[in-house]
Amino acid sequence: MWNTTILRRRQAMGDKALKIQLILVPAGAEYWAVRLGLNRVKNSVGSLPHVVAIPAGPSGVKAFLETGALDNLLQKDGILLVGLGGGLSARCGAGDVLVLNRIWNALDASEGRASDCDPALTRQIAEQLGALVGAGVTCDRVITTAAEKEALGDRFSADVVDMESVGLVDALARSNSSRVAVVRVISDDAKSTLPNLSVAIGEKGELRPRDIAMSFLSHPFAAVRLIRSSLKGLMGLSSAISRLFCV
């Protein structure tokens, strides 16, 4: 029944079928959520995109790109960056899927400059997922308080904050990749205050479990809320990937 339904959908889509050849996703839980989503549909589709785990955070992304690890992949037609992000507006709750049409840069002197995603691919993904379309902003740290989230959202008219998107979208633009889309799933809403995670990510984008654990122990109630909402975000990410590629 599942296979028959997917076949009918693919026939109905025809040339409009989603064409994504490469998925970039932060290493760790987000990567495994994407793999789980793809595994659910791997026996029902002809081919699945290549998935590459990237470091977390802007410095990790920069170092990763400088290694040339993606040089042979960036020319692919249809590149999707996915992962979790922090909610900045009231319209986004934990687990909600947001397809970004623009990412603002809040990292350095480039602040105020935005990078645009491919409009056709963005629209197609949003329609297929029934997801919101909005703007994102990339920062160099985890935004932890509700007041900071509100200020950042107002400043950039953004719905979600992350630490990787703008660097990757800029790199893809320089490589002349013509179709790039970004999907973020909300891991914590705009009103949530998080534990202090300023030291959770190393310079190379690696997670620091001990520092995370110490921060969680210092803020147990906020930690419990974050764990619950992050799990909801990961489930939303996995589900979104399955729905994207089951057509």
Side-chain angles (χ1 to χ4, degrees):
M1 180 66 179
W2 172 257
N3 290 342
T4 301
T5 301
I6 290 176
L7 179 60
R8 288 173 179 171
R9 287 180 181 175
R10 293 171 68 186
Q11 290 172 338
M13 290 290 289
D15 293 336
K16 295 181 180 180
L18 189 67
K19 295 179 181 179
I20 293 175
Q21 295 181 325
L22 174 66
I23 295 178
L24 303 176
V25 55
E30 292 160 276
Y31 172 83
W32 290 112
V34 168
R35 298 299 319 185
L36 177 61
L38 292 175
N39 285 340
R40 292 196 188 108
V41 299
K42 67 179 181 180
N43 295 324
S44 305
V45 296
S47 62
L48 290 172
H50 185 57
V51 183
V52 174
I54 61 173
S59 59
V61 167
K62 181 180 179 181
F64 182 67
L65 290 170
E66 288 174 349
T67 67
L70 292 179
D71 287 353
N72 294 328
L73 298 172
L74 295 184
Q75 299 299 328
K76 289 184 178 293
D77 181 28
I79 300 176
L80 176 63
L81 168 62
V82 298
L84 301 181
L88 298 179
S89 71
R91 68 176 188 150
C92 301
D96 287 345
V97 180
L98 190 69
V99 187
L100 304 188
N101 55 10
R102 174 169 292 182
I103 302 104
W104 292 95
N105 190 333
L107 295 175
D108 49 35
S110 299
E111 182 173 319
R113 179 178 57 83
S115 299
D116 293 328
C117 300
D118 180 78
L121 188 57
T122 296
R123 182 172 58 252
Q124 187 179 11
I125 291 172
E127 290 175 353
Q128 192 160 320
L129 292 177
L132 297 171
V133 175
V137 57
T138 296
C139 293
D140 61 357
R141 62 187 178 87
V142 179
I143 307 301
T144 57
T145 70
E148 286 181 297
K149 292 179 183 181
E150 181 180 7
L152 190 65
D154 289 345
R155 185 177 180 182
F156 291 97
S157 297
D159 297 291
V160 64
V161 58
D162 66 53
M163 299 175 67
E164 300 87 22
S165 291
V166 79
L168 284 164
V169 172
D170 283 352
L172 293 169
R174 289 194 298 271
S175 72
N176 295 319
S177 296
S178 59
R179 290 168 57 82
V180 181
V182 179
V183 171
R184 289 289 177 177
V185 181
I186 304 300
S187 61
D188 53 281
D189 64 37
K191 295 183 178 180
S192 297
T193 294
L194 310 182
N196 181 9
L197 298 175
S198 59
V199 294
I201 301 174
E203 292 184 0
K204 295 182 179 180
E206 76 281 7
L207 294 179
R208 294 172 169 170
R210 182 176 179 179
D211 292 328
I212 294 173
M214 293 299 294
S215 180
F216 279 15
L217 289 172
S218 300
H219 306 85
F221 295 109
V224 170
R225 287 195 300 269
L226 176 59
I227 291 170
R228 287 176 176 171
S229 62
S230 293
L231 288 174
K232 190 171 183 179
L234 289 169
M235 288 189 289
L237 176 58
S238 182
S239 175
I241 292 297
S242 294
R243 285 183 285 145
L244 270 182
F245 296 99
C246 74
V247 177

